[in-house]
Amino acid sequence: MKQEAKPIAMLTAYDYPTAMLVDASGIDGILVGDSLGNVVLGYDSTVPVTMDDMIHHLRAVTRGAKRALVVGDMPFLSYHISREESVRNAGRLMQEGLAQAVKLEGGREVADTVKAITEAGIPVMGHLGLTPQSVHQMGGYKVQGKDGEAARRLLEDAKALEAAGVFAIVLECIPQQLAKVVTEAVKVPTIGIGAGSDCDGQILVTHDLLGMFSDFTPKFVKKYANLKEQIIKACEDYQQEVRDKAFPGPGHVFNMADEELKKIY
């Protein structure tokens, strides 16, 4: 798709019904991101998400997605201890979670790990810029690569990841000018999230796109629906009808014959 200059569209999913609906839309790829820590599990960051969490949600998504590429995030500390443990954990996401690829955060410091995982036959997607697992080290959710030196390092990191064997790189929360330079400098696709339109593709958290998550909304998010208000309204209408005895109505109940009813008295 990069070679044909055809933009790649990706979204997240964390459960079976969402994966089924996103997949039916014709989306190119689904990321089961550790962002599930924020939008599904209610954590303040992605750091508490475990391998078991990822595998659990991956299995649900892969049951719902029939055509899109499903990528599973490697959570915090799952690829930092040793290469052997990193390969083993990546393999678990594939074997137990049924992912078709894995994603991990970092640049040159994880290049050897990426190489080891890809040499084990596991496709790897890279992730540069704002890397949520390192949010405390970064001092918060801030745009990365804004000055020349930081931008140069990020470009070098992208080239290091490409050399290590990644098939794509997520660029998160970086200046659009830098994203364009990186996209032109590497042969693998770049997938932007808060990185401008010059990337080879885009990804958003589905809960953000649908207006279902409102704890915080990044600048780069565009809401294509406002399901939060619709869901709350539907729940309010339901409880009012329950209190008014309007639900369940005649069309929502089961009946038995009068002669059968008499037998219980």
Side-chain angles (χ1 to χ4, degrees), residues 104-172:
L104 53 82
E105 298 179 1
R108 70 201 78 185
E109 72 277 9
V110 298
D112 288 344
T113 299
V114 169
K115 189 172 188 294
I117 295 173
T118 56
E119 286 179 347
I122 300 171
V124 177
M125 174 181 280
H127 186 157
L128 294 172
L130 174 58
T131 47
Q133 291 175 15
S134 305
V135 65
H136 298 306
Q137 188 179 47
M138 292 178 170
Y141 295 95
K142 300 177 180 178
V143 178
Q144 302 297 306
K146 292 177 70 174
D147 63 77
E149 180 59 26
R152 183 186 60 80
R153 287 198 304 270
L154 191 143
L155 176 60
E156 292 174 352
D157 283 339
K159 292 179 178 178
L161 289 178
E162 180 180 34
V166 299
F167 71 89
I169 303 172
V170 171
L171 300 176
E172 181 169 358

Side-chain angles (χ1 to χ4, degrees), residues 17-212:
T18 304
M20 187 170 57
L21 293 172
V22 169
D23 190 65
S25 76
I27 208 76
D28 299 309
I30 295 174
L31 172 67
V32 184
D34 58 3
S35 48
L36 70 89
N38 301 108
V39 301
V40 175
L41 302 180
Y43 296 133
D44 291 332
S45 73
T46 63
V47 173
V49 178
T50 66
M51 278 292 298
D52 287 342
D53 289 333
M54 292 306 307
I55 289 169
H56 175 81
H57 288 272
L58 263 167
R59 290 183 69 86
V61 169
T62 52
R63 285 193 288 268
K66 305 302 182 185
R67 48 165 304 284
L69 174 72
V70 177
V71 182
D73 247 341
M74 296 193 69
F76 183 66
L77 283 187
S78 67
Y79 55 96
H80 304 81
I81 307 302
S82 68
R83 293 187 200 175
E84 292 76 13
E85 185 173 341
S86 300
V87 173
R88 186 180 300 111
N89 284 329
R92 287 190 65 198
L93 293 184
M94 301 283 285
Q95 191 172 48
E96 299 175 44
L98 305 180
Q100 295 158 337
V102 302
K103 181 177 77 64
L104 53 82
E105 298 179 1
R108 70 201 78 185
E109 72 277 9
V110 298
D112 288 344
T113 299
V114 169
K115 189 172 188 294
I117 295 173
T118 56
E119 286 179 347
I122 300 171
V124 177
M125 174 181 280
H127 186 157
L128 294 172
L130 174 58
T131 47
Q133 291 175 15
S134 305
V135 65
H136 298 306
Q137 188 179 47
M138 292 178 170
Y141 295 95
K142 300 177 180 178
V143 178
Q144 302 297 306
K146 292 177 70 174
D147 63 77
E149 180 59 26
R152 183 186 60 80
R153 287 198 304 270
L154 191 143
L155 176 60
E156 292 174 352
D157 283 339
K159 292 179 178 178
L161 289 178
E162 180 180 34
V166 299
F167 71 89
I169 303 172
V170 171
L171 300 176
E172 181 169 358
C173 231
I174 66 173
Q176 61 179 344
Q177 296 88 346
L178 174 57
K180 185 175 189 294
V181 171
V182 173
T183 299
E184 293 173 349
V186 297
K187 294 181 180 178
V188 299
T190 58
I191 309 297
I193 176 166
S197 60
D198 290 311
C199 296
D200 297 304
Q202 301 292 327
I203 185 168
L204 281 178
V205 172
T206 299
H207 287 65
D208 290 337
L209 174 149
L210 296 177
M212 294 176 65

Side-chain angles (χ1 to χ4, degrees), residues 232-255:
I232 292 174
K233 178 66 164 57
C235 294
E236 290 173 344
D237 290 347
Y238 159 74
Q239 60 180 299
Q240 188 61 53
E241 288 197 2
V242 168
R243 295 191 173 101
D244 293 342
K245 290 285 189 174
F247 176 84
H252 308 113
V253 298
F254 305 97
N255 292 293

